[in-house]
């Protein structure tokens, strides 16, 4: 290979290397770890009214884990399934149940009054708190937990449905997100994972 061709080849290689370096530094971002991304964008404190007519501020549960589920008492099947599974989990965690507060938050305040929730929640674990409130207060909680809830309008019908997401959120003693379950997750599985979470101090 002639000296001239060698210089041309080296020049082309250097140009290519510089170009790749620019592309990588400009367009290729380093992979983010779970530590970097975190879970700070899900959840938050709210103040609502319990089925006993008491003001409940979620800050009062600092030091405990809370299981939060958003639904409504007139829900035909999904909500009862979630609350039954949560109740079963609480029964299986009876020895450490004092460390966990199960909470049901309505997405249908028009019908889920304090009196309605007081009757409804009796069917589930006695440690449950059922919460309602003004539309503004509930919207704050719903937005914080990224819950989808939309009334299915049917003019002239009082027993309307509400489309909503169905997730059981687990929040840690510091009020931050720890884990979540589907409403279909069996109570036994919830209990097993919750025990592991509490044992690890997560």
């Amino acid at each position: 290979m002639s000296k001239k061709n060698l210089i041309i080849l080296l020049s082309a290689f250097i140009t290519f290397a510089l170009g790749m370096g620019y592309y990588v530094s400009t367009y290729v971002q380093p992979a983010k770890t779970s530590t970097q991304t975190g879970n700070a964008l899900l959840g938050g404190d709210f103040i609502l009214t319990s089925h006993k007519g008491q003001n409940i501020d979620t800050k009062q549960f600092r030091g405990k884990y809370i299981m939060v589920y958003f639904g409504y008492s007139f829900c035909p099947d999904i909500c009862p399934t979630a609350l039954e599974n949560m109740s079963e989990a609480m029964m299986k965690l009876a020895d450490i149940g004092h460390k966990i507060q199960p909470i049901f938050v309505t997405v249908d305040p028009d019908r889920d009054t304090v009196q309605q929730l007081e009757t409804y929640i009796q069917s589930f674990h006695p440690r449950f708190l059922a919460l309602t409130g003004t539309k503004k207060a509930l919207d704050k909680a719903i937005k914080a937990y990224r819950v989808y809830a939309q009334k299915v309008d049917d003019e002239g019908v009082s027993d309307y449905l509400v489309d909503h997401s169905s997730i059981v959120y687990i929040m840690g003693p510091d009020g931050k997100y720890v884990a979540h379950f589907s409403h279909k997750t069996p109570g036994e599985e919830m209990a097993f994972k919750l025990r592991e979470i509490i044992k690890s101090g997560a």
Side-chain angles (χ1 to χ4, degrees):
M1 180 182 293
S2 68
K3 185 176 180 181
K4 181 179 179 180
N5 288 338
L6 180 61
I7 292 173
I8 292 172
L9 182 62
L10 287 173
S11 177
F13 176 77
I14 292 171
T15 301
F16 173 77
L18 290 173
M20 284 300 296
Y22 173 79
Y23 174 80
V24 170
S25 64
T26 304
Y27 297 106
V28 179
Q29 299 299 320
K32 294 183 178 180
T33 65
S34 58
T35 301
Q36 289 175 311
T37 55
N39 295 305
L41 297 180
L42 178 65
D45 291 311
F46 52 79
I47 301 174
L48 294 170
T49 305
S50 78
H51 63 280
K52 294 294 185 182
Q54 302 168 325
N55 285 336
I56 300 296
D57 185 339
T58 50
K59 290 179 182 177
Q60 71 190 67
F61 301 119
R62 289 293 187 269
K64 293 186 178 182
Y65 292 84
I66 62 173
M67 285 198 292
V68 188
Y69 181 78
F70 290 79
Y72 66 112
S73 70
F74 291 85
C75 182
D77 47 22
I78 294 176
C79 297
T81 298
L83 299 182
E84 286 169 5
N85 287 332
M86 292 168 71
S87 294
E88 182 183 354
M90 289 299 296
M91 287 188 287
K92 291 185 177 298
L93 294 169
D95 57 317
I96 55 173
H98 61 284
K99 296 182 179 181
I100 308 166
Q101 177 59 59
I103 297 175
F104 172 65
V105 181
T106 185
V107 295
D108 182 21
D110 290 339
R111 291 182 296 181
D112 281 342
T113 61
V114 169
Q115 294 75 20
Q116 170 63 21
L117 290 180
E118 183 175 17
T119 300
Y120 180 71
I121 208 63
Q122 300 306 313
S123 300
F124 305 104
H125 195 277
R127 284 186 58 81
F128 254 108
L129 278 175
L131 306 181
T132 187
T134 64
K135 185 178 185 304
K136 181 179 180 180
L138 284 167
D139 282 348
K140 178 182 178 181
I142 287 169
K143 182 178 180 181
Y145 281 78
R146 299 183 182 180
V147 173
Y148 167 77
Q150 181 66 50
K151 179 180 176 182
V152 180
D153 287 317
D154 192 351
E155 190 174 352
V157 177
S158 60
D159 58 345
Y160 57 84
L161 298 177
V162 180
D163 285 338
H164 64 93
S165 50
S166 187
I167 299 173
V168 178
Y169 300 94
I170 308 301
M171 312 303 287
D174 57 359
K176 295 181 180 179
Y177 168 85
V178 174
H180 68 272
F181 301 105
S182 160
H183 71 277
K184 294 180 179 179
T185 305
E188 184 173 0
E189 183 179 336
M190 281 190 192
F192 177 79
K193 292 184 177 179
L194 275 167
R195 192 177 291 279
E196 284 190 329
I197 288 170
I198 293 172
K199 185 177 180 180
S200 69

